[in-house]
Each structure stands twice: as C-alpha cells, then as structure tokens.
C-alpha cells in the first residue's frame, strides 16, 4: 500500500508540475508571443489529458481493490466493439502511418461485460499504437468450440523476455521516458489483467524485443 501511494504521488506530481510551469511561463509573457503560446497550450492540454487518464485508471483500480468492480454479464455482438475500435482509433493509427486491421465479426456473440471488455480492447489497441512506429496492428478473432480467441498483434518495439512477468504490474513500465511521452499511466495492462481475470480468462503475451508483441485472451460463447 505504501509503495502504491508513493507511485500515485509521483505520477500526479509530474503532470501537475509541468502544467504549473507552462502556465507560469505564459503569464510571464509567453502568452503574447505567437511563436510559442500555442506550443505551450498544446503541452498543457497533453498533460491535462494525462491527468484525466490517470484519475480514470485510479478509479478503476480502486474498484478492483475494494472488489466493487461488478460485472453486468450478457450476450452481446462482438462486432459492436470492433466498430467502436475502428471509429476511435483508425484516424490516430493512420496519422502515425499505421494500418489498423479490424475484422468483421457480425453475428458473433460473446458472453461478458461489454463495457469492461471494451476497456480491455481499448487499452491493448492504444498500447499497440503508442509503441509501434511503423507497420500495422492486427486483431485476429477465431471461433472454436464454445469460445473465441482474440489476438492483438503489432510489429512495434516489443518487450524483452525479462519483463514478461512484470508487464502487468501496476505502474510498471519497460521504458519510463517513452511511456510518459505517449501519456501512459502505467495502469492499463494491470486493469486489463484484472478485468479478464474476473471473466475467467487469463491474458497471454508473446513478444520479443524489436519484433513486436501479441496479447491474446479467450471469451466465452454462451
């Protein structure tokens, strides 16, 4: 608990101090300088988004710790999440020159909490985009027996074998500087693991440094 609070304090201080510094610089005269004022406002916006993401993830982690994260289990169309992913992330991927390949899964129903599973997909796709400089992110979905296997594959920077067992720890980052640059909270993969654990589906990782990553899990067909 002590380490968790220390980590939260550190994560909060970084964007707060950054925003404070940018605002003070603008007040001291940079606001009237058209060459720099927009740049500083964009940085403030970036750090504000980082704070918002951190608070959102902390609320989720708090619910998990207190066992208040209840599931609303139902059969739902998996394609609803696929369409949402396309609408949410395709432009962001394209802006980086990445191809986002999302399958059509019409008439494929799975059983689970749609809202929380959408968060799982969102975290994994967002991570893939953040840590892939060029190439593609591919979602592969295959049905077998009474389950579907979901694979989210990228050809990004990859994860060294020594970190495979730690990547799902809260606040753990393989690359601290890169994570802060892209606005990561260090909680996303921990949240993914917990949500899938509650669904009775372990998350699996295949990755090699410099050769991309694959996260996979199964969902039940009721």
């Amino acid at each position: 608990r002590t380490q968790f609070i220390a980590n939260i304090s550190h994560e909060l201080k970084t964007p707060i101090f950054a925003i404070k510094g940018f605002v003070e610089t603008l007040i001291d005269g940079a606001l009237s300088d058209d060459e720099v004022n927009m740049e500083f406002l964009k940085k403030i916006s970036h750090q504000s988004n980082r704070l918002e993401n951190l608070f959102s993830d902390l609320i989720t982690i708090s619910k998990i710790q207190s066992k208040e994260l209840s599931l609303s289990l139902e059969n739902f169309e998996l394609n609803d999440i696929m369409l949402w992913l396309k609408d949410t992330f395709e432009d962001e991927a394209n802006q980086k020159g990445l191809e986002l390949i999302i399958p059509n899964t019409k008439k494929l129903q799975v059983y689970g909490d749609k809202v929380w599973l959408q968060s799982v997909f969102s975290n994994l796709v967002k991570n893939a985009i953040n840590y892939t400089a060029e190439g593609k992110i591919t979602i592969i979905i295959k049905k077998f027996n009474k389950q579907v296997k979901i694979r989210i594959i990228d050809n990004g920077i990859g994860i060294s074998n020594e970190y495979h067992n730690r990547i799902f720890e809260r606040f753990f980052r393989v690359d601290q500087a890169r994570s802060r640059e892209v606005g990561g909270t260090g909680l996303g993969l921990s949240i993914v693991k917990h949500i899938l654990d509650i669904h009775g589906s372990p998350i699996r990782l295949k990755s090699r440094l410099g050769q991309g990553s694959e996260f996979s899990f199964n969902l039940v067909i009721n």
Side-chain angles (χ1 to χ4, degrees):
R1 184 182 295 271
T2 301
Q3 185 61 47
F4 185 61
I5 292 172
N7 286 334
I8 291 173
S9 299
H10 178 74
E11 293 300 325
L12 287 172
K13 283 179 182 178
T14 304
I16 288 172
F17 286 165
I19 290 171
K20 187 172 184 290
F22 296 143
V23 170
E24 288 175 349
T25 302
L26 289 169
I27 291 172
D28 288 341
L31 187 61
S32 59
D33 187 339
D34 291 338
E35 292 185 5
V36 299
N37 57 14
M38 188 55 65
E39 178 185 351
F40 276 86
L41 288 171
K42 287 178 179 178
K43 289 180 178 179
I44 290 171
S45 177
H46 174 75
Q47 294 296 337
S48 298
N49 288 336
R50 182 177 167 190
L51 270 178
E52 183 180 16
N53 292 337
L54 179 58
F55 278 120
S56 177
D57 284 352
L58 284 173
I59 289 170
T60 301
I61 285 290
S62 176
K63 288 181 179 178
I64 290 169
Q65 281 187 316
S66 60
K67 298 183 179 179
E68 291 179 6
L69 197 158
S70 58
L71 300 182
S72 179
L73 300 173
E74 60 178 339
N75 291 309
F76 67 89
E77 293 282 346
L78 188 57
N79 207 48
D80 290 347
I81 293 181
M82 297 301 106
L83 292 174
W84 180 85
L85 290 172
K86 185 178 177 67
D87 289 342
T88 304
F89 293 111
E90 190 169 53
D91 286 345
E92 183 178 351
N94 290 342
Q95 286 173 12
K96 286 190 66 175
L98 302 173
E99 184 181 5
L100 182 58
I101 302 172
I102 298 175
N104 184 324
T105 58
K106 282 184 178 179
K107 298 183 179 180
L108 178 58
Q109 288 197 340
V110 294
Y111 184 71
D113 187 303
K114 183 178 179 180
V115 174
W116 286 117
L117 288 174
Q118 181 170 293
S119 176
V120 167
F121 280 96
S122 176
N123 272 295
L124 293 176
V125 171
K126 179 67 174 176
N127 269 5
I129 292 173
N130 285 343
Y131 295 101
T132 302
E134 59 182 4
K136 60 186 178 181
I137 292 103
T138 307
I139 300 176
I140 297 175
I141 296 176
K142 288 189 176 181
K143 179 180 176 182
F144 66 98
N145 297 328
K146 289 290 186 178
Q147 296 189 55
V148 292
K149 181 175 182 179
I150 293 105
R151 301 164 64 203
I152 298 174
I153 306 166
D154 66 65
N155 56 351
I157 61 175
I159 302 166
S160 176
N161 285 337
E162 63 183 302
Y163 298 126
H164 283 200
N165 291 331
R166 298 199 62 197
I167 198 68
F168 298 102
E169 293 178 11
R170 295 168 190 170
F171 294 111
F172 180 78
R173 295 184 177 97
V174 173
D175 186 335
Q176 296 275 352
R178 179 68 181 276
S179 293
R180 292 199 171 94
E181 177 187 334
V182 300
T185 65
L187 292 170
L189 288 178
S190 177
I191 289 171
V192 164
K193 182 180 184 302
H194 280 293
I195 292 172
L196 290 175
D197 281 347
I198 295 171
H199 279 82
S201 177
I203 181 84
R204 297 176 291 272
L205 168 64
K206 294 180 181 178
S207 185
R208 295 184 65 183
L209 192 61
Q211 297 184 27
S213 301
E214 175 186 317
F215 291 88
S216 64
F217 56 95
N218 295 348
L219 292 178
V220 173
I221 300 173
N222 194 21

